[in-house]
Amino acid sequence: MNLLNCVPRWGIKFALVGVVGLALTQMPAFAQEAEVVQTNANIVWTMVSAALVFFMQAGFAMVEAGFTRAKNAANIMMKNLMDFSIGACAFWFIGFGLMFGGSNGFFGLDWFAFGWDQGAGFGTEVGDAWPFTFFVFQLVFAATAATIVSGAMAERTKFSSYLIFSLVITAFIYPISGGWAWNSLFAGYNGETAGWLGNLGYLDYAGSGVVHLCGGAAAFAGAIVLGPRIGKYGPNGEPRAIPGHNLPLGMLGVFILAFGWIGFNAGSTTSAGYAIGWIAMNTLLSAGAGSLGAMFTSWSIFKKPDMTFAGNGVLAGLVGITAACDSVTPFASIIIGSIAGILVVLSVLFIDTVLKVDDPVGAVSVHGVCGIWGVVATGIPFFANSNYDFGWGQLGVQIVGALAYFIWPFVTALILFFILKATVGLRASAEEEITGLDVGEHGNVAYPDFVSVAPETDAKG
């Protein structure tokens, strides 16, 4: 027997009305719970991404150490460690407020050294505490901008002077220019303000210009003021190769950087949503294309496929796609990465042989030149996907942004380096440089079992 036949129709209707009515009364609660879940998912994804970007510090350290000489490996590790350590404190005290505080268009005016009461007092009635998560994510970006400079100034920089520079770039240089484009990312907490580039409509999703070009331009200034390493150029100005001591270590750093870049680009969503996979796909396509572009370019020039150029090609493709990782098609990602890979090889050779600026790891080419290309490529209309609709006028805005992100860090860093050179000194002594900065600056030896010992001298000598 069907039990429903025993229930009056009016009873069924009454029950259905009750169920629907109960559901309707609970809808606001369901929506609120869904919003809480989404907020928590956003926090988790952003913190995971921040961890990936933080891990990139290890990648930078490995690339720089592996592509330079063993006698400076401990010094390089120390510089990369201090970039984060100093950067964390400086960015909290000053940098974050300059970058994301309520802005006059050029720099922020509040959110300096903020704490729990300020950070948790926004958002929902109980406070969403989003500013803490947002700060951590932006902090690791600031550390990245600082550590780019280390590679171009490797093997001859006075450690104490480098610490001063690391403080200034994370407290002032990077945050001020970063806010020009990204101040509005904190709009819900800073009074809905924006930087002047943001108001122009400048596009830079994850920082080809904001982070990488800024670091690359400062690195260029540092390498110019320092001058080349001893023995880098011959008597007639011809460049001499100074091989790195551990190329596999450097290439491991490349893999770590590519891994961390997923957090760098896809994490810039700062939300757990469908765009994560799309951005990661474009990012890795460009990385692969960049490696191929650099490999084939070096192969055609040197008649052999150079491993270090292929590795830097990966990084070039990653830098090139960072600004446009959400706005272009997959095929455009491959084009952008391929061109970045070609550019990095040609740029390294031009800077080394024509400009005669000694950049031991190619940081200026990878982050500076390919950062410019990434910013400009973002404004090319036929690269854009269906979510973006702009004309050639956007290219003009992107060129303005590229100029801003080269001129500001280059000029400010150049002035700082000249001041350091004239006061406390910027370059290590010739004796320290020849012996190695590990011993001269730190009293450490990175590879004690492999140190060549000079012959003993007479006690009087």
Side-chain angles (χ1 to χ4, degrees), residues 71 79 116 126 140 159 189 213 270 288 290 392 451:
K71 62 184 180 180
K79 287 193 300 177
W116 175 259
V126 296
V140 292
F159 183 67
Y189 305 86
L213 178 50
T270 61
W392 286 100
V451 173

PDB file of all heavy atoms in Angstrom, residues 71 79 116 126 140 159 189 213 270 288 290 392 451:
ATOM      1  N   LYS A  71      83.838  30.634  -3.183  1.00  0.00           N
ATOM      2  CA  LYS A  71      84.394  31.435  -2.094  1.00  0.00           C
ATOM      3  C   LYS A  71      83.453  32.531  -1.612  1.00  0.00           C
ATOM      4  O   LYS A  71      83.738  33.194  -0.613  1.00  0.00           O
ATOM      5  CB  LYS A  71      85.717  32.064  -2.542  1.00  0.00           C
ATOM      6  CG  LYS A  71      85.587  33.026  -3.714  1.00  0.00           C
ATOM      7  CD  LYS A  71      86.960  33.542  -4.162  1.00  0.00           C
ATOM      8  CE  LYS A  71      86.848  34.508  -5.332  1.00  0.00           C
ATOM      9  NZ  LYS A  71      88.185  35.008  -5.761  1.00  0.00           N
ATOM     10  N   LYS A  79      73.155  37.338   2.457  1.00  0.00           N
ATOM     11  CA  LYS A  79      72.444  38.472   1.856  1.00  0.00           C
ATOM     12  C   LYS A  79      70.982  38.131   1.605  1.00  0.00           C
ATOM     13  O   LYS A  79      70.085  38.940   1.879  1.00  0.00           O
ATOM     14  CB  LYS A  79      73.110  38.890   0.548  1.00  0.00           C
ATOM     15  CG  LYS A  79      74.440  39.608   0.714  1.00  0.00           C
ATOM     16  CD  LYS A  79      74.881  40.266  -0.582  1.00  0.00           C
ATOM     17  CE  LYS A  79      75.051  39.266  -1.695  1.00  0.00           C
ATOM     18  NZ  LYS A  79      75.405  39.905  -2.968  1.00  0.00           N
ATOM     19  N   TRP A 116      46.634  44.237  16.204  1.00  0.00           N
ATOM     20  CA  TRP A 116      45.384  43.481  16.191  1.00  0.00           C
ATOM     21  C   TRP A 116      44.151  44.371  16.124  1.00  0.00           C
ATOM     22  O   TRP A 116      43.237  44.130  15.338  1.00  0.00           O
ATOM     23  CB  TRP A 116      45.300  42.575  17.421  1.00  0.00           C
ATOM     24  CG  TRP A 116      43.968  41.881  17.507  1.00  0.00           C
ATOM     25  CD1 TRP A 116      42.910  42.215  18.290  1.00  0.00           C
ATOM     26  CD2 TRP A 116      43.557  40.756  16.728  1.00  0.00           C
ATOM     27  NE1 TRP A 116      41.863  41.359  18.070  1.00  0.00           N
ATOM     28  CE2 TRP A 116      42.222  40.450  17.105  1.00  0.00           C
ATOM     29  CE3 TRP A 116      44.165  39.971  15.759  1.00  0.00           C
ATOM     30  CZ2 TRP A 116      41.510  39.398  16.547  1.00  0.00           C
ATOM     31  CZ3 TRP A 116      43.455  38.924  15.206  1.00  0.00           C
ATOM     32  CH2 TRP A 116      42.150  38.649  15.600  1.00  0.00           C
ATOM     33  N   VAL A 126      32.317  41.109  13.398  1.00  0.00           N
ATOM     34  CA  VAL A 126      33.301  40.565  14.337  1.00  0.00           C
ATOM     35  C   VAL A 126      34.722  40.795  13.847  1.00  0.00           C
ATOM     36  O   VAL A 126      35.673  40.444  14.531  1.00  0.00           O
ATOM     37  CB  VAL A 126      33.071  39.045  14.557  1.00  0.00           C
ATOM     38  CG1 VAL A 126      31.744  38.805  15.207  1.00  0.00           C
ATOM     39  CG2 VAL A 126      33.160  38.289  13.241  1.00  0.00           C
ATOM     40  N   VAL A 140      56.221  39.089   1.374  1.00  0.00           N
ATOM     41  CA  VAL A 140      57.121  38.221   0.621  1.00  0.00           C
ATOM     42  C   VAL A 140      57.383  38.764  -0.773  1.00  0.00           C
ATOM     43  O   VAL A 140      58.433  38.492  -1.381  1.00  0.00           O
ATOM     44  CB  VAL A 140      56.580  36.772   0.577  1.00  0.00           C
ATOM     45  CG1 VAL A 140      56.640  36.143   1.962  1.00  0.00           C
ATOM     46  CG2 VAL A 140      55.153  36.694   0.033  1.00  0.00           C
ATOM     47  N   PHE A 159      79.228  43.915   2.890  1.00  0.00           N
ATOM     48  CA  PHE A 159      78.007  43.371   3.490  1.00  0.00           C
ATOM     49  C   PHE A 159      77.212  44.424   4.258  1.00  0.00           C
ATOM     50  O   PHE A 159      75.992  44.506   4.125  1.00  0.00           O
ATOM     51  CB  PHE A 159      78.367  42.201   4.415  1.00  0.00           C
ATOM     52  CG  PHE A 159      77.179  41.513   5.024  1.00  0.00           C
ATOM     53  CD1 PHE A 159      76.298  40.795   4.236  1.00  0.00           C
ATOM     54  CD2 PHE A 159      76.949  41.584   6.391  1.00  0.00           C
ATOM     55  CE1 PHE A 159      75.195  40.155   4.796  1.00  0.00           C
ATOM     56  CE2 PHE A 159      75.861  40.949   6.958  1.00  0.00           C
ATOM     57  CZ  PHE A 159      74.978  40.237   6.167  1.00  0.00           C
ATOM     58  N   TYR A 189      39.931  48.866   3.111  1.00  0.00           N
ATOM     59  CA  TYR A 189      40.504  49.161   4.422  1.00  0.00           C
ATOM     60  C   TYR A 189      41.249  50.496   4.467  1.00  0.00           C
ATOM     61  O   TYR A 189      41.689  50.913   5.526  1.00  0.00           O
ATOM     62  CB  TYR A 189      41.471  48.039   4.822  1.00  0.00           C
ATOM     63  CG  TYR A 189      40.819  46.676   4.795  1.00  0.00           C
ATOM     64  CD1 TYR A 189      40.760  45.936   3.624  1.00  0.00           C
ATOM     65  CD2 TYR A 189      40.234  46.143   5.935  1.00  0.00           C
ATOM     66  CE1 TYR A 189      40.148  44.693   3.581  1.00  0.00           C
ATOM     67  CE2 TYR A 189      39.624  44.902   5.908  1.00  0.00           C
ATOM     68  CZ  TYR A 189      39.575  44.184   4.734  1.00  0.00           C
ATOM     69  OH  TYR A 189      38.963  42.962   4.693  1.00  0.00           O
ATOM     70  N   LEU A 213      60.617  44.652 -12.435  1.00  0.00           N
ATOM     71  CA  LEU A 213      61.305  45.781 -13.050  1.00  0.00           C
ATOM     72  C   LEU A 213      61.883  46.703 -11.988  1.00  0.00           C
ATOM     73  O   LEU A 213      62.992  47.232 -12.144  1.00  0.00           O
ATOM     74  CB  LEU A 213      60.349  46.545 -13.973  1.00  0.00           C
ATOM     75  CG  LEU A 213      60.900  47.795 -14.653  1.00  0.00           C
ATOM     76  CD1 LEU A 213      62.225  47.527 -15.343  1.00  0.00           C
ATOM     77  CD2 LEU A 213      59.875  48.349 -15.642  1.00  0.00           C
ATOM     78  N   THR A 270      44.302  36.292  -4.501  1.00  0.00           N
ATOM     79  CA  THR A 270      43.963  36.400  -3.075  1.00  0.00           C
ATOM     80  C   THR A 270      42.551  35.895  -2.797  1.00  0.00           C
ATOM     81  O   THR A 270      41.906  36.320  -1.846  1.00  0.00           O
ATOM     82  CB  THR A 270      44.139  37.839  -2.530  1.00  0.00           C
ATOM     83  OG1 THR A 270      43.285  38.739  -3.224  1.00  0.00           O
ATOM     84  CG2 THR A 270      45.587  38.287  -2.658  1.00  0.00           C
ATOM     85  N   GLY A 288      57.875  27.561 -19.845  1.00  0.00           N
ATOM     86  CA  GLY A 288      58.409  26.574 -20.781  1.00  0.00           C
ATOM     87  C   GLY A 288      58.844  27.204 -22.088  1.00  0.00           C
ATOM     88  O   GLY A 288      59.919  26.891 -22.627  1.00  0.00           O
ATOM     89  N   GLY A 290      59.752  30.270 -22.526  1.00  0.00           N
ATOM     90  CA  GLY A 290      60.928  31.089 -22.275  1.00  0.00           C
ATOM     91  C   GLY A 290      62.205  30.276 -22.287  1.00  0.00           C
ATOM     92  O   GLY A 290      63.234  30.709 -22.839  1.00  0.00           O
ATOM     93  N   TRP A 392      44.384  50.113 -28.390  1.00  0.00           N
ATOM     94  CA  TRP A 392      45.808  50.386 -28.372  1.00  0.00           C
ATOM     95  C   TRP A 392      46.191  51.475 -27.378  1.00  0.00           C
ATOM     96  O   TRP A 392      47.371  51.638 -27.050  1.00  0.00           O
ATOM     97  CB  TRP A 392      46.288  50.739 -29.769  1.00  0.00           C
ATOM     98  CG  TRP A 392      46.355  49.533 -30.664  1.00  0.00           C
ATOM     99  CD1 TRP A 392      45.442  49.153 -31.597  1.00  0.00           C
ATOM    100  CD2 TRP A 392      47.379  48.532 -30.669  1.00  0.00           C
ATOM    101  NE1 TRP A 392      45.823  47.974 -32.200  1.00  0.00           N
ATOM    102  CE2 TRP A 392      47.022  47.572 -31.649  1.00  0.00           C
ATOM    103  CE3 TRP A 392      48.552  48.351 -29.948  1.00  0.00           C
ATOM    104  CZ2 TRP A 392      47.798  46.463 -31.925  1.00  0.00           C
ATOM    105  CZ3 TRP A 392      49.345  47.235 -30.224  1.00  0.00           C
ATOM    106  CH2 TRP A 392      48.961  46.308 -31.200  1.00  0.00           C
ATOM    107  N   VAL A 451      88.594  23.470   0.463  1.00  0.00           N
ATOM    108  CA  VAL A 451      89.360  24.712   0.380  1.00  0.00           C
ATOM    109  C   VAL A 451      90.795  24.387   0.010  1.00  0.00           C
ATOM    110  O   VAL A 451      91.425  23.510   0.608  1.00  0.00           O
ATOM    111  CB  VAL A 451      89.322  25.468   1.721  1.00  0.00           C
ATOM    112  CG1 VAL A 451      90.251  26.675   1.677  1.00  0.00           C
ATOM    113  CG2 VAL A 451      87.907  25.926   2.010  1.00  0.00           C
TER     114      VAL A 451
END
